[in-house]
Amino acid sequence: MTVSKYHYTRIDSRPDLNLYTWSKEPVSIQPLPPLDIPEYTDTEYDLHLKDPTWTKEETDHLFELARTYDLRFIIMHDRTHLDRSIEELKQRYYQVVRILLSLRLPIEDPQTKVEIQKYQYDMRREIDRKQHLEKLMQRSVQQMEEESMLLNEIQKFEMNHDKWSRTRDSLLKTHTDHQNKEGLERLSRRNRMSSASLKLRKPRDFEDLTVKRDRVPAGIHNRVSKIAALKPSTSQRVIQIMEEMGQSQRPKMPTEIVCARFEELRHLIQCTLEVKRAIEKAELDLKSAQHKRIAMLEEGQTRARSASISSIKRSNSGTWTPTDKRSRNF
């Protein structure tokens, strides 16, 4: 293959003038070496390369095209007489190459897997990729404008995210410092009021004096931390019932109303469990009393039967009447 190269040279036809022009100079360029397309024998094909969707003639024709056009599959698809798509040509070619490499390269060599991995091809994924690209190219102007608008909004959000984060951290710090200051002032004020009330009290009332102090948490706190703990005897059962109802152990949005309703729900569940336990205990006591009553009735019937049997025995073993004597002498 030759490519014409131009260079600036002096015109020799007019030696009396210094004239220059562009002239061609043939430059030879070495062609690229052909690709190494593997070959296979009839025995190898019969033993390892058979495919129910491809015949040997079609496979031979495919590899002949690969050698002729250096694996340019688009040109191969244009030149072939096979009714196959480009993806099917690629799938069959890479399938044969992988099998030949696995047969000819040593299995114990770790480089074998690397070489085989180079010829992996997923036809389904390639078809899906082209379909997605086709849909992308078929977008309307309105869709492209909408997508561009969304991308601009995302970029604005990312640019402002750092600024928002710094502002939020500053507000949280300010709120924390203010709350800590208020908490200390409130605690100091209560201590002064308590000291003043102690001075006004009489000595005899000093023993009855109790100062109640609220716990002031340091920094920002969550309302969830103020929710009362469950009773140990019913905590597991309450948690299980709430999970069955689709509720978590703590409210996900701990607003004042949500926390109040959450505590009300847990209180109702605890009351229900306690009522259920009391009913079960009452039913157990009732059954026990019924069993005792039945036992007492049976015992009374047994004693009555024993008394009647004893009276019958005593009447049979009594003294003889005069009539009995006459009948005996007779």
Side-chain angles (χ1 to χ4, degrees), residues 94-326:
Y94 290 125
Q95 177 189 10
V96 173
V97 173
R98 287 197 305 270
I99 296 173
L100 292 176
L101 289 177
S102 62
L103 293 174
R104 296 173 183 177
L105 295 179
I107 302 176
E108 61 276 2
D109 188 2
Q111 194 66 22
T112 301
K113 292 183 178 180
V114 178
E115 290 295 329
I116 295 175
Q117 190 68 25
K118 292 179 181 179
Y119 294 95
Q120 293 293 334
Y121 181 77
D122 189 351
M123 184 175 66
R124 185 70 259 171
R125 184 176 180 181
E126 181 70 10
I127 293 173
D128 292 340
R129 184 184 69 85
K130 290 184 177 180
Q131 289 177 353
H132 290 319
L133 285 175
E134 187 176 355
K135 291 180 180 179
L136 187 64
M137 297 301 294
Q138 292 177 353
R139 290 177 301 168
S140 62
V141 177
Q142 182 180 0
Q143 290 175 339
M144 295 176 66
E145 292 177 353
E146 184 178 356
E147 182 179 353
S148 177
M149 183 184 65
L150 291 175
L151 290 175
N152 292 333
E153 291 295 331
I154 292 173
Q155 291 177 357
K156 289 181 182 178
F157 176 79
E158 291 178 350
M159 292 174 62
N160 294 328
H161 181 267
D162 295 337
K163 181 179 179 181
W164 293 341
S165 299
R166 290 192 297 269
T167 305
R168 181 193 59 188
D169 295 339
S170 177
L171 290 174
L172 288 176
K173 183 178 179 181
T174 303
H175 182 69
T176 302
D177 296 341
H178 180 68
Q179 190 174 18
N180 290 337
K181 184 178 179 180
E182 285 186 351
L184 292 175
E185 291 179 355
R186 190 184 304 112
L187 184 61
S188 177
R189 186 165 55 253
R190 288 183 179 178
N191 289 335
R192 290 195 301 269
M193 292 175 63
S194 300
S195 301
S197 62
L198 286 174
K199 292 178 181 180
L200 296 175
R201 292 285 185 115
K202 295 181 180 179
R204 59 185 180 83
D205 298 330
F206 182 77
E207 296 179 356
D208 300 332
L209 182 62
T210 58
V211 180
K212 182 179 180 181
R213 297 180 180 179
D214 296 336
R215 181 182 178 185
V216 180
I220 297 176
H221 63 279
N222 199 338
R223 288 190 180 90
V224 177
S225 60
K226 293 186 176 182
I227 296 178
L230 295 170
K231 293 182 180 179
S233 58
T234 59
S235 60
Q236 294 295 331
R237 183 56 181 159
V238 171
I239 294 173
Q240 181 180 358
I241 293 175
M242 293 187 69
E243 288 178 353
E244 292 176 357
M245 296 171 62
Q247 299 293 331
S248 59
Q249 297 184 17
R250 296 290 183 183
K252 297 181 180 179
M253 185 66 67
T255 60
E256 184 177 359
I257 298 176
V258 172
C259 290
R261 295 293 178 83
F262 185 80
E263 285 189 318
E264 183 180 358
L265 175 62
R266 292 205 313 176
H267 179 69
L268 291 175
I269 294 175
Q270 283 184 334
C271 293
T272 304
L273 291 175
E274 291 176 358
V275 171
K276 182 180 178 182
R277 185 180 298 176
I279 292 174
E280 291 177 352
K281 183 178 180 182
E283 290 178 350
L284 185 62
D285 294 341
L286 180 61
K287 289 181 180 179
S288 177
Q290 289 177 351
H291 288 310
K292 288 181 180 180
R293 180 174 176 278
I294 293 172
M296 291 176 64
L297 290 175
E298 292 178 352
E299 184 179 358
Q301 291 176 358
T302 304
R303 289 180 179 178
R305 285 196 297 269
S306 300
S308 61
I309 293 172
S310 300
S311 62
I312 292 172
K313 288 182 179 180
R314 285 196 301 269
S315 62
N316 291 335
S317 60
T319 57
W320 292 96
T321 59
T323 310
D324 294 335
K325 290 180 178 179
R326 286 195 301 269

Side-chain angles (χ1 to χ4, degrees), residues 1-18:
M1 181 179 180
T2 59
V3 177
S4 298
K5 183 179 180 181
Y6 289 85
H7 59 96
Y8 201 58
T9 58
R10 187 173 183 275
I11 300 176
D12 297 332
S13 61
R14 296 293 301 271
D16 55 333
L17 298 174
N18 292 327

